[in-house]
Amino acid sequence: GIPPAGQPYINTAPTAAAVDERAASESELETRIDEQPPPPDAGVNSSVATLREFLVRHTPRATVLVQSTRVSSAAFVEMPAVVALEAESDRHAAGFQTALVAAAARVWTTSQVGAPWITASAGTHAVERLDGLRQVFLCAQGRRLFLANDAALLAATLDRSAIAPTSALQTYATGFRHAREAANFARLASALDFNASPDSAYAPGFSANIGSLSGVLAAVSDMSITQQEPEGVTLQTVRYQISR
């Protein structure tokens, strides 16, 4: 419009507001949004730094991440996980355990008071459990160390840990059980799109777009990727199992 008399005419658009750097991303599906983040002095940064320093000095020979989904109620889908490390020696494994215990106590307790580690069980296996607000389990087996937030998944992982591998030495392996996890991921995606308008010209990003991709691949029940590096050559094998 025309500015009042005596006012300069400005034909440039106003500057866009800065993007809030606190906004989350699609990679933070497990970040809690129903509680306040811990304060800067809650011990998270120092705990992460302690673990990172130990891992840099004593790099594990191998790491494994096992994760699943589980409907905990009519509204929520939990994602329990197990992290396994194999150290170079029993001594390094004991160091991992000490660092993990110290890190957990620093985050969830004050001066490590009120949340000791107590003897517990996961299936038929003896483990240690953090006796506090958080569900954390720890199990050391020689050079191997297992950390989990679910006793049932930890028990299933420990049951299979003694099975000798049947294939050649692999430097990387991953897999996804689509047939078993599809329904729970669809439920989770629908929850993320809870406020999406059904009258929108665009389909909800998670439940419709990603959900339709899962539907197109419904015939694929499982997939796996393995990698070997013989004599400096990287060989990858991708397998898809089709349900009939």
Side-chain angles (χ1 to χ4, degrees):
I2 301 176
Q7 297 294 323
Y9 179 75
I10 302 175
N11 61 355
T12 57
T15 304
V19 177
D20 188 352
E21 295 181 356
R22 295 173 299 174
S25 69
E26 64 277 6
S27 64
E28 297 183 87
L29 295 179
E30 298 178 48
T31 300
R32 298 292 294 262
I33 61 174
D34 58 343
E35 60 185 29
Q36 290 289 337
D41 60 346
V44 177
N45 292 336
S46 59
S47 295
V48 172
T50 299
L51 289 176
R52 180 181 293 113
E53 179 185 357
F54 193 91
L55 289 171
V56 169
R57 287 190 290 111
H58 307 288
T59 304
R61 295 181 66 250
T63 59
V64 174
L65 170 63
V66 181
Q67 192 165 30
S68 182
T69 59
R70 178 183 60 208
V71 178
S72 59
S73 68
F76 298 103
V77 175
E78 295 181 346
M79 302 178 70
V82 177
V83 177
L85 306 174
E86 182 175 88
E88 291 287 349
S89 66
D90 293 0
R91 179 173 57 85
H92 289 167
F96 278 128
Q97 183 175 5
T98 301
L100 285 169
V101 170
R106 199 174 298 136
V107 172
W108 291 316
T109 73
T110 299
S111 299
Q112 303 187 21
V113 175
W117 291 84
I118 62 176
T119 301
S121 62
T124 59
H125 305 275
V127 300
E128 293 183 72
R129 176 173 61 85
L130 183 67
D131 187 23
L133 298 176
R134 296 295 185 181
Q135 185 102 327
V136 180
F137 299 90
L138 190 65
C139 179
Q141 294 184 344
R143 297 185 303 176
R144 296 176 179 176
L145 188 68
F146 300 82
L147 182 69
N149 60 0
D150 181 79
L153 186 60
L154 176 59
T157 303
L158 292 172
D159 288 342
R160 294 186 59 86
S161 65
I163 300 176
T166 57
S167 58
L169 182 63
Q170 299 171 351
T171 57
Y172 175 80
T174 187
F176 177 58
R177 296 182 176 179
H178 182 228
R180 194 175 78 172
E181 303 293 346
N184 285 346
F185 273 107
R187 181 190 291 264
L188 177 61
S190 297
L192 294 174
D193 281 332
F194 179 74
N195 288 325
S197 172
D199 301 326
S200 173
Y202 300 96
F206 289 98
S207 58
N209 293 337
I210 296 180
S212 64
L213 177 60
S214 177
V216 169
L217 300 174
V220 180
S221 61
D222 296 84
M223 67 85 60
S224 64
I225 302 175
T226 57
Q227 177 175 299
Q228 300 177 13
E229 298 181 4
E231 299 179 358
V233 178
T234 300
L235 302 176
Q236 283 192 345
T237 304
V238 182
R239 291 186 174 90
Y240 297 93
Q241 182 172 335
I242 307 299
S243 58
R244 299 183 183 277

